[in-house]
Amino acid sequence: MRRGRNKPLMLLAINADCVISQKYELCELIQSEKSDIILLKETHLKPLHRYMVPNFTTIRIDGLNQEGGGGTAVLVKYGIPHRRFDLPPLI
């Protein structure tokens, strides 16, 4: 997918409050908004969870607390060039 030079990226930021329990609603919202990049917070994902959205690459950092809260994810529509880089922990 190539984007025209004058076509802006559509960003969507969501407090997901557990993407697993709201997967279908989130997929519907993402498709209806025609978003290119989605920023999710409070995903509540753990390493054992698989989470994929059709037509998007998923970059995620899972929550580290025992209760299952926290976590973030960035979904990038296929065809949009991007790369992941890790930052050192903030102290």
Side-chain angles (χ1 to χ4, degrees), residues 23 27 30-31 40 51-58 75 78:
K23 180 172 181 154
C27 283
I30 289 166
Q31 298 304 323
L40 299 173
Y51 186 75
M52 297 170 56
V53 175
N55 302 315
F56 285 85
T57 300
T58 303
L75 308 176
Y78 288 156

Side-chain angles (χ1 to χ4, degrees), residues 16-35:
D17 194 26
C18 189
V19 293
I20 298 296
S21 66
Q22 301 189 51
K23 180 172 181 154
Y24 298 106
E25 292 87 350
L26 283 172
C27 283
E28 242 180 55
L29 178 64
I30 289 166
Q31 298 304 323
S32 71
E33 293 296 323
K34 298 189 180 357
S35 302

Side-chain angles (χ1 to χ4, degrees), residues 2 4-5 15-17 23-24 26 29 34 36 38 43 50 58 64 67-68 70 78 90-91:
R2 294 188 61 88
R5 283 185 176 228
N15 182 337
D17 194 26
K23 180 172 181 154
Y24 298 106
L26 283 172
L29 178 64
K34 298 189 180 357
D36 298 308
I38 297 98
T43 60
R50 265 185 55 154
T58 303
L64 300 176
E67 292 79 39
Y78 288 156
L90 299 174
I91 297 179

